Amino acid sequence: MTEEPLVFPFTRIVGQENMKRALMLNVIDPGIGGVLIKGEKGTAKSTTVRSMNAVLPYRTVVKGCPFRCEFGKEERYCPYCRDRVSKGEELEPAESRMRVIDLPLSATEDRVSGTLDLEHVLKTGEKKFEPGVLASANGNILYVDEVNLLDDHLVDLLLDSAAMGTNYVEREGVSFSHPAKFVLVGTMNPEEGDLRPQLLDRFGLSLDIKGERDVKKRAEVVKRRVRYDSDPESYIKECKEELDETCRRLTEARRILPEVIAGDDVVDMVVSVMIHFGVDGHRADITLLKAAKANAALEGRKKVTKDDIRATAELVLAHRLKRRPFEEAGLDQEELEKCLQDL
């Protein structure tokens, strides 16, 4: 087994709180729909996403399953696990840590979806499937750097699979499907082109980040990076406890999420915010409610409050607001605050 490459620690990234929160909320509830991170080069986008490996929680999966099916969720089992169960085999659980899976820009559709060996099917009558990136992504974070440069049909494929939680492959009338429930994270530099609006809306959360302008914070970024570069192993060891604590916090948040309650008053607030800002459709309403619940779980609470809406509204709304040409994307925080105060 190859060793994971060393990455600057997640807990030592200065600032960028919205980016870190957006990533953690999606780990707590993958149903939020992923996150698109836009920003100029050198703003720690890729570093932050890849540094998640050290804080991601563990999942209980079926031992020996190539898709790491969630143990005990028989209705979500892949064909291999269902076949093993039908033959009377008792499946065993195993602990598997969530990981960040990189998707290279050069990936083909077959590489992403996987391929069916038609010759094997014709010879034996049995389906033989070569897993692709989506198989590795099941239960994990699928990361696409420079997502705006990825072919549109591949972005469509990823978003469809993430939304359905299933990868469906068909070749010459032969089909195969397997679970593909993952968190899609894309990063991009807007100077290199944007995503189509239809694709943009499919990401649950989105944010624009900029480099630090505060002198003290910017100096801290430099000092921490220089210390890390001089001895990465020692630096990572130094912050092991805080990385483990973040992992524990995410694990606990995932555990209590099903118990988090959002009352009718909270639902009314969510809907009122969307109407106030003129957002079309209902996808944003549902996403904001899910994000608010995940935020409550992250804070260790089982009841959603107005503060959770305040903390997540910009992440949900920033890429969905109608704006005039040359107007910057984003949410007017003062207007949001006034809207919430009136509720």
Side-chain angles (χ1 to χ4, degrees), residues 127-323:
K127 294 178 185 178
K128 184 179 180 183
F129 180 71
E130 285 294 327
V133 174
L134 291 179
S136 302
N138 186 40
N140 292 315
I141 291 175
L142 180 57
Y143 174 45
V144 188
D145 192 12
E146 299 183 311
V147 65
N148 51 323
L149 304 182
L150 193 66
D151 285 345
D152 281 348
H153 78 280
L154 284 180
V155 180
D156 273 326
L157 172 64
L158 297 177
L159 288 165
D160 285 342
S161 296
M164 294 188 298
T166 303
N167 177 37
Y168 185 82
V169 181
E170 185 169 0
R171 299 284 185 276
E172 305 296 332
V174 180
S175 62
F176 184 91
S177 63
H178 68 79
K181 197 172 177 62
F182 55 86
V183 175
L184 181 61
V185 175
T187 55
M188 56 176 275
N189 182 349
E191 294 172 1
E192 297 169 348
D194 216 333
L195 280 177
R196 296 201 326 259
Q198 309 94 293
L199 298 178
L200 193 59
D201 180 60
R202 298 274 297 281
F203 279 92
L205 309 181
S206 172
L207 65 153
D208 289 78
I209 60 171
K210 292 179 172 61
E212 286 293 347
R213 294 291 180 261
D214 179 86
V215 173
K216 287 186 177 178
K217 284 185 178 179
R218 197 165 178 127
E220 187 62 27
V221 170
V222 174
K223 287 188 279 189
R224 290 187 185 188
R225 187 71 212 197
V226 169
R227 276 193 59 206
Y228 169 80
D229 287 341
S230 67
D231 190 349
E233 290 88 350
S234 296
Y235 192 83
I236 292 170
K237 194 178 291 184
E238 179 187 308
C239 54
K240 186 178 185 306
E241 280 188 22
E242 60 200 54
L243 290 169
D244 289 346
E245 171 57 24
T246 303
C247 176
R248 186 207 61 75
R249 190 180 170 203
L250 287 171
T251 302
E252 178 63 10
R254 280 166 65 96
R255 187 189 69 78
I256 70 170
L257 181 65
E259 302 169 33
V260 174
I261 296 168
D264 288 347
D265 58 329
V266 170
V267 178
D268 288 346
M269 281 184 219
V270 166
V271 172
S272 298
V273 167
M274 294 305 162
I275 292 172
H276 177 88
F277 285 98
V279 178
D280 295 330
H282 303 294
R283 181 179 287 152
D285 308 55
I286 295 164
T287 304
L288 180 53
L289 188 61
K290 286 181 177 181
K293 290 177 75 172
N295 193 73
L298 181 63
E299 302 295 339
R301 288 181 281 105
K302 294 185 181 180
K303 188 173 182 182
V304 178
T305 68
K306 190 183 287 188
D307 285 340
D308 297 309
I309 297 173
R310 185 179 284 113
T312 55
E314 184 175 9
L315 295 170
V316 176
L317 283 165
H319 58 307
R320 293 186 167 97
L321 295 178
K322 297 186 181 80
R323 62 184 193 276

Side-chain angles (χ1 to χ4, degrees), residues 35-48:
V35 57
L36 176 67
I37 303 167
K38 300 196 279 186
E40 58 202 15
K41 54 184 180 290
T43 46
K45 301 185 298 294
S46 300
T47 298
T48 304

Side-chain angles (χ1 to χ4, degrees), residues 7-24:
V7 183
F8 190 86
F10 181 79
T11 54
R12 293 293 173 94
I13 290 165
V14 177
Q16 308 298 12
E17 298 306 322
N18 262 359
M19 174 163 56
K20 290 185 279 191
R21 183 180 297 275
L23 289 166
M24 290 194 288

